[in-house]
Amino acid sequence: EAGGAGGTFSDLAAVLRIAGRHCAPIPLAETAIAGWMLASSGLKIPAGPLTLAPVHGEKITARKSGANWRLAGALTRVPYARVANHIAILAAGPAGNVIARVGAVQCKITPGRNFAHEPRDGVMLDDIEIAADQVAPAGAGVTHAALKERGALARALMMAGALEHALELSVRYTTERSQFGRKIGQFQAIQQELARFAGEVAAAVASALSAAGAVERGGNATLAVASAKIRTAQAAQE
């Protein structure tokens, strides 16, 4: 009814896991979370890629300007800002937090990237003006903590998918590479390392999917999400 696919959070988790498996260079998680922000606040979800802000604790202020609104502030490391059509922004309004849907063309965007060469851009809102129907009080549950939680879960799910693919590539390599006249996958030391690898991947996937289920069921899922983020990070390091 809000223009989405009518899926559950577990459906989204499955898609994010596949996106991570293929290192898809698209703002899929960002679009999903931004859509949730807008829909929860009664704002129309526009077509095309979305992103969200703030993601690092910056403060954006929103004030009335006649029939419209004005937004001001600076944002750092906004994911995929340069390719997003709109940015869903959690801003401090005169009577509490508001959600604003801002066209990316209205912002000054400075390209940046993270260690994975994914876009992490600077965004400047220089007292920009937007229409009244692009701003609404933040919906129930749309808080800075909730954005961090959903972002952490999205990353954990994508990391789990990437770990699965890394394991598949490693196993395939051990069946192709030969040393001392044997496939290296026949050596016990290699088999032991692959077994450790598989155990870490299984734990990461289980924790990520469990956290997605906890979010879908509702209630406080912070511990489940934090555990998933920690566990997938530990698996990646190993």
Side-chain angles (χ1 to χ4, degrees):
E1 62 272 20
T8 64
F9 199 90
S10 291
D11 294 327
L12 174 61
V15 176
L16 290 177
R17 184 176 166 194
I18 294 171
R21 175 185 288 266
H22 296 285
C23 297
I26 55 174
L28 183 61
E30 291 78 11
T31 297
I33 298 173
W36 165 74
M37 292 170 63
L38 296 172
S40 297
S41 306
L43 293 173
K44 182 180 179 181
I45 303 175
L50 307 172
T51 191
L52 66 145
V55 290
H56 296 291
E58 304 97 338
K59 184 176 181 180
I60 301 298
T61 58
R63 60 182 176 84
K64 291 285 289 183
S65 177
N68 297 329
W69 286 78
R70 288 189 176 273
L71 274 72
L75 300 162
T76 59
R77 295 174 55 78
V78 177
Y80 293 97
R82 75 187 77 165
V83 299
N85 290 349
H86 293 83
I87 306 174
I89 296 179
L90 178 57
N97 287 339
V98 298
I99 300 296
R101 187 185 71 234
V102 178
V105 295
Q106 294 180 265
C107 308
K108 180 182 178 181
I109 297 176
T110 305
R113 65 186 184 184
N114 63 11
F115 286 121
H117 291 261
E118 297 168 324
R120 294 295 185 270
D121 306 322
V123 176
M124 174 66 72
L125 293 86
D126 189 12
D127 204 32
I128 63 172
E129 185 173 2
I130 60 176
D133 62 0
Q134 293 176 241
V135 180
V142 184
T143 63
H144 290 284
L147 295 187
K148 286 186 176 182
E149 184 175 292
R150 288 184 178 241
L153 177 54
R155 291 289 178 251
L157 288 161
M158 295 173 74
M159 289 168 70
L163 284 162
E164 288 181 301
H165 194 195
L167 176 60
E168 291 173 3
L169 291 173
S170 299
V171 171
R172 185 190 308 166
Y173 183 73
T174 65
T175 66
E176 297 171 348
R177 172 71 187 275
S178 296
Q179 190 72 32
F180 306 114
R182 299 165 61 189
K183 299 293 185 184
I184 64 172
Q186 296 176 317
F187 290 100
Q188 187 174 5
I190 299 295
Q191 293 173 355
Q192 182 178 356
E193 290 303 303
L194 287 177
R196 289 183 58 232
F197 197 159
E200 292 292 331
V201 173
V205 171
S207 65
L209 293 181
S210 177
V215 170
E216 184 172 294
R217 289 189 296 272
N220 190 339
T222 301
L223 179 59
V225 172
S227 298
K229 188 63 168 62
I230 291 169
R231 194 62 191 84
T232 51
Q234 287 179 336
Q237 182 173 338
E238 285 297 315

